[in-house]
Amino acid sequence: MVEQPHRNPPFRAEHLGSLLRPDDLLKTRDAADKGTAQQEQLTSVEDRAIKEVVDLQIKLGFHAVSDGEYRRHMFWGTFFPGLDGFEEIQNPDPKIFREYMPDIAAFMEKGHKPGESVICTGKIRHVGSTYLEQWNYLKSIAPEEMVPYCKLTLAAPNWYHMRYKEGLAYPKSVYDSDREYFADIAKAYQAELSILYEAGLRNIQIDDPNLAYFCSEKMIAGWKADKANTKTTDQLLDEYISLYNDCIRERPVDMHVGVHLCRGNFVNSRHFSEGGYDRIAEKLFRDLEVDTYYLEYDTPRAGGFEPLKFLPENKNAILGVVTSKFPELENKQEMTEKILKAAEVIAEGNGESSKDALARLGETGNKVSRRAQIHGTQNIVLGGRTVIQADVCIRGDLHKTLPASSSSSTSNPSSTTTSAPAHAQSQNPPIAISIGRYTHLSSHCTLHPPSKLHRGVYSHYPLKIGDHVFIGAHSVIEAAVIGSNVWIGANCVVGKFAIIKDCVKVLEGTVVPQGMVVPSGSVVGGRPGRVLGEVGDGWGVGESEEGWVEGGDLRGLWRSV
C-alpha cells in the first residue's frame, strides 16, 4: 500500500518563506555591522518587521506563515557557524572555491568575491540551536491554532561542501573521507530537528541551490573539466541524497519536511543556474525522502513538466509558477493551464486521475474555519472538498495508543525503558478520524472517536466518515462508522460504536443509541432513535447543471460555502 502524502502542510497557497526586507531593517542591520547601532536596536527593528509581515501573511490567507528570514543576513542563516568544528571566515581566498559553481561564478563575473564563507576546521558537533530563538519568536506572535502550520527555513546540509575545491571542504587530519564528514553533518541535523520539534515546530523547508546545480549543463561541463575531482556529478548527487536522508531519517512522522530547489534570486533578480529537472528527476523524486518539493517553474529556464512523471503518489510538488523576481503580474489563465498540464504529467506517470494529481499540487479544496478546534491533526485524514465551520471540535488527539516497539522491550532486559517516545517511533501516526470528500461539518458539532474500557485500559477507536456526509449544528458524533450520502440533522447524538450505513437520513434532535446499526436507506428519529421508514428514491442525489449526480445536494452546499 502506498503511504498517503503529507497534507496541510503543504497548503494550496504557499510561498517560499524568504521575503523582501524592509528598508529600515536593512539600514539598521548595516549600521549594526559597522558598529554605529546597538544589537538591541537591531533586535527591536527585527521584532517589529516580523510582526508586521506575519500579520500581512495571515491577512492574505496564508497558513504556512514564516518570519521572512528577517533575522538573517542571508537565507542560510547561522546553523553552520553555530556548530563546533566550523569557522566563519571573512574575505576568503577565491582559490578555495570551484569557480564553475553557479553562485561563485555569479560573484566572479561581476568582479566580486564572496564576502564570507564557513569552513570546517575540526570535528563537527552540535552544541545548541541557532534557529530556536527565531522559531520561538515566530511561535509567540502567531495565533495558537496556526503554530503547527508555521514554517521555518533551514540551510542545506551540503551547502558548505560543494562550493569548495576537492579536498578543501575539511582538513584531512580531521576526516578521512566525505562519508565521515557527512555522518557528523547528519548527526548535527538530527539534533537540530529534535530540538525544534520539542519546541513545537512541525513544518520545515530546506533551501538548497546546490541540488538545482545538477541540472546545469554549464556547471557539469566545468566539473568534468576540473581534473582534481575524483567523482562524477552523478556519484556526488547520490551521496547528497544519502546525506539528506540521514539528516531527516529520525524526524517524527508529523514533522513535514520540504526541499526548495532554489535557482537563485541575487541582486536585480540575478539567477544562479538554469536547466530542466530532467537530468535528476528520477533520483530526486524517488530517492530523496522528503514530503514536498518546492520547485521553480516561474521562467522557461526550468524546462518542461515531463520530469514530474517520476513524482511518487506519496509526495507533493509546489510548482512555483508565480514569481517575485519580476514586477509583471502573471496571467491567471496561463497559470491555470500550467497547473493542469503538470497534473496530467503526474497522473500519467502514476496511473492515477488528474484530480488525484492536483491534490498533490496543493489542490485539496478543504474549507476550514480558523475558529474550528482541531486537535491531533496528524491523526486526522481529510479526503478533500470538506467544509469545517466555526467552533467545530474534532478530537484527533484521542486515538488508539501505538504498541511499544518489541526491540525496545526485549533486546536489553536490564533496561528500564519499555518503549520509545511517541514522536520517535517509526510507525505512521494512528488514524483517529477519517473524513471523506464533500463532507460538511456545521458549526458547534463535535467528532469524538468512540471509546471503551478493555482489559482494564480505557482505549479509543477510529471514527470513519464516508463521502457526501452532512452533520448538522450542535450534533455530537461518537460512531464507529458513518457511510456515504448520510444526512444528520442538528442537535443529534450518535452514540459510541454506532454504525450508520449508506444513504441514511437522521432527523433533527435524534439520539442514536450506543452500538446501533442503522440499515442503508433508512430514516431514523426519536429519543432513543429508531428506524421510522425508508428514504425515497434518489435520496443522496440532487439536481445540478450536470444533471442528476450522486451527492449533488452536498456538492451544491459545499460550493455555496
Side-chain angles (χ1 to χ4, degrees):
M1 177 181 284
V2 176
E3 181 186 349
Q4 290 298 306
H6 209 292
R7 287 284 187 269
N8 296 330
F11 296 93
R12 184 169 181 266
E14 288 267 355
H15 66 77
L16 291 175
S18 184
L19 303 176
L20 194 66
R21 276 65 166 172
D23 286 341
D24 62 334
L25 175 57
L26 293 174
K27 291 176 181 177
T28 306
R29 176 165 291 124
D30 183 60
D33 290 342
K34 293 176 179 177
T36 57
Q38 300 297 316
Q39 178 61 44
E40 291 78 9
Q41 294 175 265
L42 176 59
T43 299
S44 176
V45 174
E46 290 172 343
D47 288 350
R48 184 174 68 252
I50 293 170
K51 180 70 169 61
E52 289 173 356
V53 82
V54 165
D55 289 345
L56 175 61
Q57 291 170 78
I58 294 172
K59 179 181 178 181
L60 294 175
F62 285 100
H63 289 78
V65 171
S66 84
D67 65 359
E69 297 178 348
Y70 284 178
R71 304 272 186 210
R72 309 179 194 180
H73 172 62
M74 296 293 282
F75 70 87
W76 52 79
T78 56
F79 175 72
F80 282 95
L83 298 175
D84 263 5
F86 274 99
E87 180 182 340
E88 187 170 20
I89 52 176
Q90 300 296 325
N91 301 311
D93 186 345
K95 293 180 181 179
I96 68 174
F97 299 108
R98 290 180 167 120
E99 66 278 358
Y100 47 86
M101 283 297 118
D103 59 312
I104 302 299
F107 279 105
M108 301 297 191
E109 71 184 27
K110 295 296 183 180
H112 301 294
K113 65 178 183 178
E116 55 81 26
S117 194
V118 178
I119 197 162
C120 176
T121 57
K123 201 72 171 173
I124 299 167
R125 190 167 62 93
H126 191 279
V127 291
S129 174
T130 58
Y131 289 130
L132 183 59
E133 187 176 346
Q134 298 172 27
W135 164 247
N136 282 339
Y137 183 73
L138 175 60
K139 181 176 67 172
S140 73
I141 61 174
E144 183 178 356
E145 68 274 13
M146 295 189 69
V147 170
Y149 308 146
C150 291
K151 178 163 64 177
L152 189 70
T153 59
L154 273 62
N158 52 29
W159 183 239
Y160 287 114
H161 179 268
M162 194 176 185
R163 58 169 44 193
Y164 296 120
K165 287 182 177 179
E166 187 74 24
L168 298 183
Y170 52 83
K172 285 294 183 182
S173 59
V174 177
Y175 293 107
D176 288 333
S177 65
D178 284 349
R179 181 187 297 274
E180 290 186 7
Y181 171 80
F182 291 155
D184 279 354
I185 293 287
K187 290 177 184 177
Y189 271 81
Q190 291 168 9
E192 183 72 30
L193 294 184
S194 177
I195 291 171
L196 293 173
Y197 181 88
E198 292 298 330
L201 179 63
R202 297 293 183 270
N203 186 13
I204 69 167
Q205 172 190 301
I206 300 174
D207 290 322
D208 192 347
N210 285 350
L211 290 179
Y213 294 173
F214 289 95
C215 304
S216 169
E217 296 293 341
K218 186 176 180 180
M219 188 285 288
I220 293 171
W223 184 279
K224 290 179 178 178
D226 186 347
K227 302 303 181 185
N229 290 326
T230 59
K231 304 169 186 173
T232 67
T233 52
D234 287 339
Q235 290 171 329
L236 187 63
L237 177 60
D238 288 339
E239 291 186 2
Y240 283 170
I241 289 175
S242 179
L243 168 61
Y244 259 95
N245 292 341
D246 287 341
C247 288
I248 63 178
R249 182 166 288 124
E250 301 298 324
R251 77 187 187 274
V253 291
D254 61 333
M255 175 176 264
H256 170 262
V257 176
V259 61
H260 168 214
L261 276 75
C262 178
R263 296 177 181 273
N265 189 10
F266 195 43
V267 179
N268 297 321
S269 298
R270 167 71 163 85
H271 67 276
F272 289 155
S273 63
E274 55 188 49
Y277 299 105
D278 310 69
R279 176 182 287 276
I280 66 171
E282 188 165 5
K283 291 181 179 180
L284 176 72
F285 294 137
R286 293 186 174 173
D287 297 341
L288 185 58
E289 297 171 2
V290 297
D291 301 303
T292 299
Y293 300 88
Y294 296 90
L295 307 175
E296 293 191 6
Y297 275 108
D298 53 344
T299 63
R301 63 173 177 262
F305 292 125
E306 290 75 15
L308 294 176
K309 67 184 179 183
F310 294 110
L311 184 72
E313 293 180 64
N314 62 339
K315 296 184 180 180
N316 309 291
I318 303 301
L319 296 179
V321 294
V322 178
T323 186
S324 61
K325 299 180 179 73
F326 311 109
E328 295 80 17
L329 190 65
E330 287 81 2
N331 180 280
K332 183 177 180 180
Q333 182 61 33
E334 290 179 2
M335 297 302 99
T336 302
E337 290 173 358
K338 284 185 177 182
I339 294 170
L340 294 176
K341 175 61 177 175
E344 289 177 6
V345 173
I346 295 171
E348 183 179 351
N350 287 284
E352 61 182 336
S353 70
S354 294
K355 288 184 178 180
D356 289 337
L358 275 171
R360 296 191 289 116
L361 295 176
E363 181 54 72
T364 61
N366 295 314
K367 309 293 182 183
V368 182
S369 170
R370 289 180 182 168
R371 287 171 52 196
Q373 301 174 42
I374 303 178
H375 308 275
T377 55
Q378 70 272 23
N379 305 311
I380 299 170
V381 175
L382 298 182
R385 302 299 195 272
T386 292
V387 173
I388 302 176
Q389 292 192 322
D391 300 308
V392 167
C393 180
I394 303 179
R395 294 301 303 271
D397 56 324
L398 303 177
H399 57 82
K400 198 168 185 178
T401 306
L402 287 171
S405 170
S406 59
S407 62
S408 63
S409 59
T410 61
S411 61
N412 183 7
S414 64
S415 173
T416 58
T417 302
T418 58
S419 64
H423 69 265
Q425 296 183 28
S426 60
Q427 299 103 316
N428 289 329
I431 301 303
I433 299 176
S434 174
I435 301 174
R437 294 171 62 82
Y438 289 103
T439 290
H440 186 285
L441 306 181
S442 302
S443 62
H444 295 90
C445 73
T446 299
L447 300 186
H448 192 293
S451 59
K452 66 180 179 180
L453 189 66
H454 179 65
R455 293 181 180 178
V457 178
Y458 197 72
S459 298
H460 290 87
Y461 295 82
L463 164 58
K464 183 177 181 181
I465 298 176
D467 299 333
H468 304 288
V469 173
F470 175 88
I471 299 177
H474 298 278
S475 290
V476 178
I477 310 298
E478 293 190 76
V481 177
I482 294 177
S484 295
N485 299 309
V486 172
W487 185 284
I488 300 174
N491 300 300
C492 290
V493 175
V494 180
K496 295 179 180 179
F497 297 102
I499 296 176
I500 298 179
K501 297 192 175 181
D502 296 343
C503 300
V504 169
K505 184 173 184 178
V506 181
L507 301 179
E508 182 175 341
T510 298
V511 176
V512 177
Q514 178 174 327
M516 181 178 180
V517 177
V518 179
S520 297
S522 301
V523 175
V524 181
R527 293 172 172 255
R530 58 190 179 91
V531 176
L532 303 178
E534 296 181 357
V535 298
D537 291 340
W539 170 254
V541 300
E543 195 168 7
S544 71
E545 295 176 358
E546 296 84 16
W548 289 78
V549 293
E550 186 180 53
D553 290 327
L554 292 187
R555 195 170 301 190
L557 177 60
W558 181 89
R559 286 172 178 159
S560 71
V561 173

